[in-house]
Amino acid sequence: MNEPIEIENNKDYEELIKSIENIVSSSKNKIANTINDTMVETYWNIGKYIIEFEQKGKVKAEYGQKLLLRLSKDLKLRLGKGYSRSNLYNMRKLYELYPIFQPLAGKLSWTNLCEILTINDEMERNFYIAEASKEKWSKRTLKRQMESGLFLKLAVSKDKDEILALAKTGQEINEPKDIIKSIYTLDFLNIEDKTDYSESQLEEKIIEKLEDFLLELGKGFTFVGRQYPIHIGNDFYHADLVFYHRILKCFVIIDLKINKVKHEDIRTNEYVYGIFCDRRK
Amino acid sequence: MYMGYFATEENEIDDNPPIGIILTRNNNELVVEYATYNMDTNLFVSKYELYLPNKEELKKLVDKIINEDE
């Protein structure tokens, strides 16, 4: 067993390196998550202490603001940065809105939580907590989704029970209608609403901002192509934008229409769809 | 939108039937109704907007749904 092992191009050896890399990066992640969770719980506790202190002394609202200011000064001296008045305000608010910590455990970073605490509506807040933690949103993504009203846009085409479920568990994708929004917000294209533009110009802009467009479409979409060539009989057609949905495992074909949707648009589709459905049988 | 074409020509065996979205500037509600009433396919009509939504308006609509069902 004293013979030197052949290291170059040795598959087992490469695997050894890979497994070590994997375990180190996964434990680094674990540590980061633990630190974050502990931090969030600590802040929640600070919020709890502040509220309990206020209740003991029956602190009036205007005094509450002064308390946070004073506390911020004293804590910064003793504990260093991170205890600004606005941060203390958020800690207080976190406890006020979520007096039980358990549902928040292990979900979000402190910065994302602070962002979500600005939402007044409870359903909406809970939706973003669920979705941001499931999808591991960055702060930028979370801000964008809040700004473009993701929850409201999904909720507006649902019934009451569906809205309650949406708020509780975030967006669940089981069938085609789950990925459809009634409104898509394309403000990032920077097109003036009143200007004249063609469908191909609109498509061009979308391609330029594909990353933003994918975010607006929602989770699970991957880009397949634009002006996708289609050959039916002796005729050539093009599909404007083609995506593939990873969760539903199907193509999603997007057709851009600047003017009113005519019955013909739908009939043509129906017709083409019908032909092929028949052929499949 | 050639959903049928995709179903037969592009789909792999495990793929589900394609979904079509007509993304339109002017959402004509009648047409939407027609589309969803007449077809049992995965074709949807949605509208796009070039500005951020008025969240208060949307919120009112959502609140209405929540309260109506009670």
Side-chain angles (χ1 to χ4, degrees):
Chain A
M1 292 304 271
N2 280 338
E3 278 180 34
I5 55 165
E6 203 42 64
I7 294 254
E8 296 305 320
N9 296 324
N10 183 324
K11 263 204 171 163
D12 289 342
Y13 181 73
E14 274 165 30
E15 258 176 36
L16 172 68
I17 296 268
K18 249 193 203 145
S19 342
I20 293 174
E21 265 180 355
N22 283 346
I23 198 164
V24 168
S25 84
S26 100
S27 48
K28 271 185 186 165
N29 270 342
K30 249 190 234 166
I31 293 169
N33 286 340
T34 313
I35 290 176
N36 179 63
D37 292 349
T38 314
M39 207 173 91
V40 170
E41 192 168 1
T42 305
Y43 289 165
W44 179 86
N45 270 310
I46 294 174
K48 182 180 174 196
Y49 294 160
I50 293 172
I51 287 193
E52 284 172 353
F53 175 84
E54 289 173 353
Q55 283 167 346
K56 230 187 277 169
K58 297 199 174 72
V59 176
K60 284 179 196 159
E62 71 259 30
Y63 181 77
Q65 282 303 316
K66 282 184 193 156
L67 170 69
L68 292 186
L69 194 62
R70 170 72 196 267
L71 197 55
S72 161
K73 275 184 191 157
D74 289 338
L75 288 178
K76 272 196 247 173
L77 281 177
R78 284 162 206 239
L79 301 170
K81 278 182 188 170
Y83 299 91
S84 63
R85 190 174 56 144
S86 63
N87 228 3
L88 289 173
Y89 174 84
N90 281 330
M91 297 174 199
R92 188 188 176 286
K93 197 160 183 192
L94 180 65
Y95 177 77
E96 194 181 22
L97 296 174
Y98 296 94
I100 298 163
F101 183 71
Q102 194 46 40
L104 298 172
K107 288 223 160 137
L108 290 172
S109 69
W110 176 244
T111 45
N112 276 3
L113 257 181
C114 289
E115 209 54 58
I116 291 172
L117 289 177
T118 61
I119 303 169
N120 289 323
D121 184 77
E122 192 185 352
M123 280 193 312
E124 210 175 329
R125 216 167 40 228
N126 290 343
F127 166 81
Y128 286 107
I129 288 179
E131 203 61 21
S133 77
K134 261 204 298 190
E135 298 302 310
K136 301 189 170 50
W137 280 345
S138 66
K139 188 182 175 185
R140 181 179 166 268
T141 303
L142 171 66
K143 274 184 115 162
R144 168 66 198 173
Q145 302 287 36
M146 282 170 55
E147 187 185 49
S148 68
L150 175 65
F151 171 74
L152 296 170
K153 283 191 291 186
L154 289 169
V156 79
S157 54
K158 294 185 184 300
D159 65 27
K160 186 187 174 182
D161 289 341
E162 288 170 335
I163 294 174
L164 296 178
L166 180 68
K168 203 175 163 197
T169 52
Q171 195 185 4
E172 301 274 354
I173 295 178
N174 300 311
E175 51 181 326
K177 74 174 171 67
D178 296 338
I179 65 164
I180 307 294
K181 288 180 202 165
S182 52
I183 305 165
Y184 289 85
T185 304
L186 307 183
D187 61 316
F188 51 83
L189 299 180
N190 293 321
I191 300 175
E192 283 283 330
D193 204 19
K194 281 172 192 154
T195 55
D196 274 333
Y197 54 90
S198 67
E199 274 153 17
S200 64
Q201 281 170 324
L202 177 65
E203 187 190 309
E204 190 67 44
K205 289 265 187 189
I206 288 176
I207 296 295
E208 276 171 30
K209 301 271 182 169
L210 192 57
E211 203 183 319
D212 294 301
F213 189 69
L214 281 166
L215 187 62
E216 181 60 17
L217 284 179
K219 58 183 159 192
F221 284 85
T222 28
F223 181 63
V224 174
R226 64 189 291 206
Q227 292 301 313
Y228 201 89
I230 286 164
H231 193 188
I232 300 174
N234 287 326
D235 297 318
F236 276 103
Y237 302 92
H238 288 96
D240 286 346
L241 294 167
V242 179
F243 297 84
Y244 187 81
H245 201 276
R246 291 191 304 274
I247 303 168
L248 291 178
K249 297 202 190 318
C250 66
F251 284 104
V252 182
I253 306 145
I254 296 185
D255 205 14
L256 303 171
K257 280 269 166 281
I258 287 186
N259 299 311
K260 279 194 178 134
V261 177
K262 296 183 204 114
H263 287 201
E264 288 144 42
D265 293 326
I266 291 161
R267 279 210 193 114
T268 311
N269 275 304
E270 205 178 354
Y271 176 68
V272 174
Y273 189 87
I275 290 176
F276 284 99
C277 280
D278 282 349
R279 250 189 232 169
R280 286 183 95 190
K281 279 172 196 166
Chain B
M1 276 151 70
Y2 323 116
M3 288 151 71
Y5 172 86
F6 273 84
T8 48
E9 304 292 327
E10 301 284 345
N11 267 13
E12 298 288 334
I13 294 168
D14 297 341
D15 285 345
N16 293 310
I19 296 169
I21 305 173
I22 298 180
L23 201 52
T24 168
R25 187 184 196 171
N26 301 302
N27 192 349
N28 185 333
E29 281 187 25
L30 276 176
V31 172
V32 179
E33 241 172 60
Y34 173 89
T36 44
Y37 172 77
N38 234 9
M39 288 187 312
D40 190 22
T41 69
N42 293 334
L43 181 61
F44 300 87
V45 182
S46 291
K47 92 177 157 176
Y48 70 85
E49 289 178 344
L50 295 168
Y51 41 84
L52 287 170
N54 182 336
K55 279 184 271 177
E56 273 161 39
E57 289 291 312
L58 279 173
K59 176 107 178 54
K60 271 184 209 158
L61 290 173
V62 173
D63 285 346
K64 213 175 134 197
I65 300 169
I66 298 269
N67 296 325
E68 241 172 29
D69 285 9
E70 265 166 13

